[in-house]
Amino acid sequence: MSKNTRTATVIGVYLGLDAESLITTPQPFVQATFAGFEGDKHAGITRRSDSRTPRYPRGVEIRNDRQVSIVSVEEMAQVAHSLGIPKLPAEWLGANLLLEGLPDLTQLPAMMRMYFSGGATLVLSGENR
């Protein structure tokens, strides 16, 4: 293991099953594909541009760089504390993956790879604001 290797634990996996809702639904497992998590509303190799992609006209087909949304237990606890609430469930933010052991998840650089024991590899594209 290199000195730059870090380990985290998957605490929960979720799918966005309702296109009209931000809230995701806990799952016992998910199938990771090149398009994201199978069955999730954000899965897909491409997507249509929208207000979050101002450099493209709306509706143009572009590369989907938001296939999976990842949050950490530690950062969720910080946000809950800042909001003055006891807990902020990952589902409320539309998360697909909840990890424990990465207290600085949102500070990890884009293009970093996450390798999972089941064989999946995810490439971070950046913070989903």
Side-chain angles (χ1 to χ4, degrees):
M1 219 187 272
S2 98
K3 66 180 181 177
N4 294 326
T5 299
R6 299 172 61 189
T7 303
T9 303
V10 175
I11 300 299
V13 292
Y14 312 86
L15 290 178
L17 301 173
D18 182 355
E20 301 302 316
S21 175
L22 172 70
I23 297 173
T24 49
T25 304
Q27 303 293 307
F29 63 90
V30 295
Q31 181 66 40
T33 71
F34 286 114
F37 285 177
E38 194 171 279
D40 186 75
K41 68 182 181 179
H42 289 106
I45 299 294
T46 62
R47 68 180 183 92
R48 299 285 177 192
S49 59
D50 56 21
S51 61
R52 295 181 187 185
T53 53
R55 292 193 170 144
Y56 299 96
R58 283 197 185 192
V60 171
E61 190 171 16
I62 61 173
R63 179 180 158 280
N64 185 7
D65 61 356
R66 193 275 183 226
Q67 297 170 329
V68 176
S69 183
I70 307 169
V71 296
S72 76
V73 168
E74 297 84 358
E75 287 183 336
M76 295 294 284
Q78 289 174 2
V79 172
H81 178 76
S82 295
L83 293 172
I85 58 176
K87 183 179 180 182
L88 179 59
E91 301 96 297
W92 289 5
L93 296 181
N96 296 114
L97 196 55
L98 176 62
L99 302 178
E100 184 173 48
L102 289 175
D104 57 348
L105 173 65
T106 56
Q107 303 304 308
L108 296 176
M111 301 311 295
M112 181 177 168
R113 285 170 171 71
M114 291 185 158
Y115 299 95
F116 294 82
S117 61
T121 301
L122 298 178
V123 179
L124 301 181
S125 62
E127 186 176 359
N128 183 358
R129 299 182 190 275

